[in-house]
């Protein structure tokens, strides 16, 4: 049987029972607003930012997947159109969300989510390639 994880509801500042949780990451509890404020710099640096970013990453990925599914952007034909749109020499210096929205029928907000997620993927790929090169891999 798997162990059940219990939530520590003691204030990290004073050790008393706590009922107020960090509204950002919801992983740390405090007995008072004053103690939350007092602990903020430590909490933010040690756990809140990474937890919050992981949650945002998950939500962003879900929305990206929903957009792809809803607008059927995962077909080979649409993938080619998107690749052309993103790499076109005719486009101005930057690809814009309004232009993407108009071309693919999304809202501008959905286009922003889509394009930002593509940027995350490109950055990951570039980082992976740099890491591989530093390790001596892929140098043929």
């Amino acid at each position: 049987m798997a162990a059940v994880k219990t939530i520590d509801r003691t204030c990290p500042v004073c050790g008393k029972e706590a009922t107020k949780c960090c509204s950002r990451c919801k992983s740390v509890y405090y007995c008072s607003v004053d103690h939350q404020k007092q602990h903020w710099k430590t909490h933010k640096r040690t756990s809140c930012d990474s937890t919050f970013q992981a949650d945002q990453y998950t939500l962003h990925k879900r929305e990206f997947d929903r957009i792809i599914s809803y607008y059927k952007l995962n077909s080979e034909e649409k993938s080619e159109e998107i690749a052309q749109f993103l790499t076109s020499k005719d486009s101005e210096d930057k690809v814009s969300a309004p232009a993407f929205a108009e071309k693919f029928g999304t809202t501008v907000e959905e286009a922003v989510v889509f394009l930002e997620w593509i940027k995350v993927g490109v950055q990951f790929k570039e980082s992976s390639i740099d890491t591989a090169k530093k390790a001596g891999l892929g140098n043929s």
Side-chain angles (χ1 to χ4, degrees):
M1 181 185 257
V4 176
K5 185 179 177 182
T6 60
I7 297 171
D8 182 10
R9 293 189 184 216
T10 57
C11 178
V13 177
C14 67
K16 291 181 181 175
E17 185 177 339
T19 58
K20 296 164 179 43
C21 71
C22 173
S23 63
R24 190 170 186 212
C25 72
K26 298 181 182 14
S27 65
V28 177
Y29 283 75
Y30 298 93
C31 66
S32 69
V33 173
D34 287 341
H35 280 186
Q36 183 176 8
K37 287 178 182 176
Q38 184 180 337
H39 191 243
W40 173 242
K41 283 185 181 178
T42 302
H43 173 61
K44 180 179 187 279
R45 188 176 57 250
T46 59
S47 61
C48 192
D49 275 350
S50 59
T51 302
F52 182 74
Q53 287 176 345
D55 287 346
Q56 293 305 304
Y57 176 89
T58 300
L59 292 172
H60 196 165
K61 175 67 167 104
R62 274 192 208 135
E63 180 62 3
F64 176 79
D65 290 343
R66 185 200 66 78
I67 292 165
I68 286 176
S69 176
Y70 184 81
Y71 294 99
K72 299 177 179 36
L73 299 176
N74 55 350
S75 70
E76 192 170 327
E77 181 183 323
K78 286 291 184 184
S79 295
E80 284 295 321
E81 279 184 65
I82 292 168
Q84 281 285 318
F85 178 80
L86 296 175
T87 59
S88 173
K89 299 291 184 203
D90 298 334
S91 65
E92 309 257 325
D93 289 342
K94 289 188 171 188
V95 172
S96 75
F100 184 93
E102 184 177 326
K103 181 161 181 67
F104 296 100
T106 68
T107 66
V108 173
E109 292 81 8
E110 290 168 327
V112 168
V113 169
F114 185 91
L115 294 171
E116 285 299 315
W117 191 256
I118 294 295
K119 191 187 310 181
V120 167
V122 169
Q123 289 169 345
F124 176 78
K125 184 176 179 183
E126 288 171 349
S127 171
S128 298
I129 290 170
D130 288 347
T131 301
K133 283 182 180 177
K134 286 178 186 173
L137 302 173
N139 295 333
S140 7

